[in-house]
Amino acid sequence: MKKARYLVENDYMADPAVHVFDGKLYIYPSHDWESGVEENDNGDHFNMKDYHVFSMDDAEGAVTDHGVVLDVEQIPWAGRQLWDCDVAQKGDKYYMYFPLKDKTDIFRIGVAISDKPYGPFIPQPDPIRGSYSIDPAILDDGDGNYYMYFGGLWGGQLQRYRDNKALESAEFPKDDEPGIPARIVRLSEDMLQFAEEPRGVVILDKDGAPLTAGDTQRRFFEASWIHKYNGKYYFSYSTGDTHRLCYAIGDNPYGPFTYQGVILTPVVGWTTHHAIVEFKGKWYLFHHDSVPSGGRTWLRSLKVIELEYNPDGTIKTIEGTATE
Ligand code: FUB
């Protein structure tokens, strides 16, 4: 699969999180729709209100839609905007982590539980204590520990926090200061709370200096993903306003991570977002673009393409416009 193929032709789906559960690929996307909310820098036009789950027996085969698995109407603390979610399995339960604005228009991260990977997911009555911002991505480290990576700038509200405390008003670092980092936190045994204070995910350049806020071609913006390859931890993310998917490699879940390069060049549409997963001996990059909607950035479509590594463990850059 040298060119990307679209996965869901009859609806708009974005922000894929993808995992292998019970020998199948499960895709957990955001569900875009035409809500009529005007586009702005705050992301109000991403006004999503439910989630579907999709599964595949084969990355090149048919895609099964399991229908609506969680609706904003079911969530007691809901305000608006169900953005990028992720799902983790622990024991015989599946935990969906989702960002949602509460009734005061602040993004929090909630948890919903199912005993099937394809839902339905039943939400907890309250968001995770101390949670903020968007785009949770979960690492099952294989040793009993689960970690959440999260955060996003601008509409994702990460600039409103420092040391896990809300600021009076948003603060962006100067261009030559370290960029605002994504966050990592270990989850509690029951998977329902944070087990510790979230920490910054530090990304260093090859000289060991943190990427700066002004380095917009490389610094973190949103859309965290984490995967392991040959014993190393690969932290990948979107650069937001420069529209690239980049990655950095570390030796443990907390990092620091050293910047490596670009996974995906810009796609059509403002946002870019992804999941990287191994299935049946091959690696895949799930992502989205806005080609089928004629470039309407709030109406995005899911895609998949094979991802390849170089012998030294670096990832071969994929063109965002390489589509079947
Ligand atoms: O889908 C809404 C937001 O757009 C996501 O949370 C971001 O990662 C970006 O894809």
Side-chain angles (χ1 to χ4, degrees):
M1 195 194 299
K2 296 296 175 216
K3 292 194 166 181
R5 78 168 174 118
Y6 288 102
L7 293 171
V8 179
E9 307 273 356
N10 61 348
D11 208 343
Y12 295 112
M13 300 283 163
D15 303 335
V18 182
H19 296 281
V20 179
F21 296 133
D22 295 339
K24 290 186 187 207
L25 282 168
Y26 281 92
I27 310 173
Y28 302 95
S30 307
H31 184 193
D32 287 353
W33 66 297
E34 185 62 88
S35 74
V37 175
E38 211 168 299
E39 187 169 356
N40 59 26
D41 281 352
N42 218 22
D44 287 346
H45 47 300
F46 297 113
N47 193 24
M48 295 83 99
K49 55 186 172 50
D50 62 26
Y51 293 117
H52 284 230
V53 173
F54 297 85
S55 65
M56 300 164 80
D57 291 323
D58 198 296
E60 310 203 358
V63 180
T64 301
D65 181 357
H66 296 275
V68 174
V69 298
L70 179 62
D71 189 294
V72 73
E73 299 288 333
Q74 297 169 254
I75 303 168
W77 54 275
R80 60 182 179 137
Q81 296 183 287
L82 277 174
W83 284 12
D84 158 57
C85 69
D86 196 5
V87 170
Q89 177 185 15
K90 185 171 184 184
D92 56 2
K93 294 271 185 276
Y94 296 83
Y95 299 86
M96 173 181 274
Y97 299 87
F98 58 89
L100 173 68
K101 283 182 180 160
D102 66 15
K103 295 184 196 305
T104 65
D105 236 22
I106 304 293
F107 268 116
R108 308 282 177 204
I109 297 174
V111 192
I113 305 173
S114 179
D115 50 16
K116 304 274 192 308
Y118 47 87
F121 290 87
I122 308 300
Q124 292 292 106
D126 297 298
I128 295 175
R129 280 191 298 281
S131 66
Y132 56 93
S133 200
I134 60 165
D135 288 359
I138 310 297
L139 170 69
D140 171 358
D141 205 15
D143 62 354
N145 289 312
Y146 291 76
Y147 300 89
M148 178 190 292
Y149 297 77
F150 67 94
L153 305 187
W154 297 14
Q157 303 181 342
L158 196 55
Q159 65 279 2
R160 297 192 193 175
Y161 295 85
R162 172 139 344 133
D163 299 329
N164 303 315
K165 303 270 183 311
L167 300 166
E168 289 283 316
S169 59
E171 277 180 26
F172 287 95
K174 296 196 181 69
D175 279 1
D176 60 353
E177 293 176 347
I180 297 174
R183 307 291 202 265
I184 173 173
V185 62
R186 190 166 55 81
L187 296 175
S188 58
E189 285 284 311
D190 65 6
M191 301 290 275
L192 301 179
Q193 299 294 337
F194 293 163
E196 59 186 4
E197 287 278 304
R199 313 178 196 181
V201 177
V202 175
I203 304 174
L204 305 172
D205 66 17
K206 292 265 162 69
D207 297 324
L211 297 187
T212 57
D215 186 355
T216 58
Q217 296 288 326
R218 300 192 298 174
R219 61 89 172 90
F220 169 81
F221 187 100
E222 63 184 2
S224 296
W225 188 254
I226 185 86
H227 75 278
K228 287 161 80 171
Y229 179 73
N230 284 347
K232 298 281 189 192
Y233 294 77
Y234 286 58
F235 175 71
S236 46
Y237 56 94
S238 163
T239 60
D241 54 346
T242 56
H243 317 288
R244 312 194 316 170
L245 290 178
C246 294
Y247 73 110
I249 298 180
D251 292 325
N252 68 77
Y254 291 104
F257 296 87
T258 302
Y259 181 85
Q260 302 294 323
V262 176
I263 298 172
L264 187 73
T265 64
V267 295
V268 171
W270 198 95
T271 69
T272 187
H273 198 116
H274 70 302
I276 295 169
V277 65
E278 184 182 21
F279 190 54
K280 297 186 179 173
K282 289 184 176 178
W283 286 86
Y284 296 96
L285 178 77
F286 288 79
H287 55 295
H288 69 224
D289 73 21
S290 296
V291 170
S293 71
R296 283 176 292 169
T297 203
W298 61 97
L299 294 178
R300 299 160 293 179
S301 294
L302 282 185
K303 303 169 78 176
V304 63
I305 191 167
E306 201 176 328
L307 174 142
E308 293 173 309
Y309 297 88
N310 294 304
D312 65 357
T314 56
I315 293 174
K316 293 187 183 174
T317 301
I318 297 168
E319 291 299 319
T321 50
T323 305
E324 276 174 1

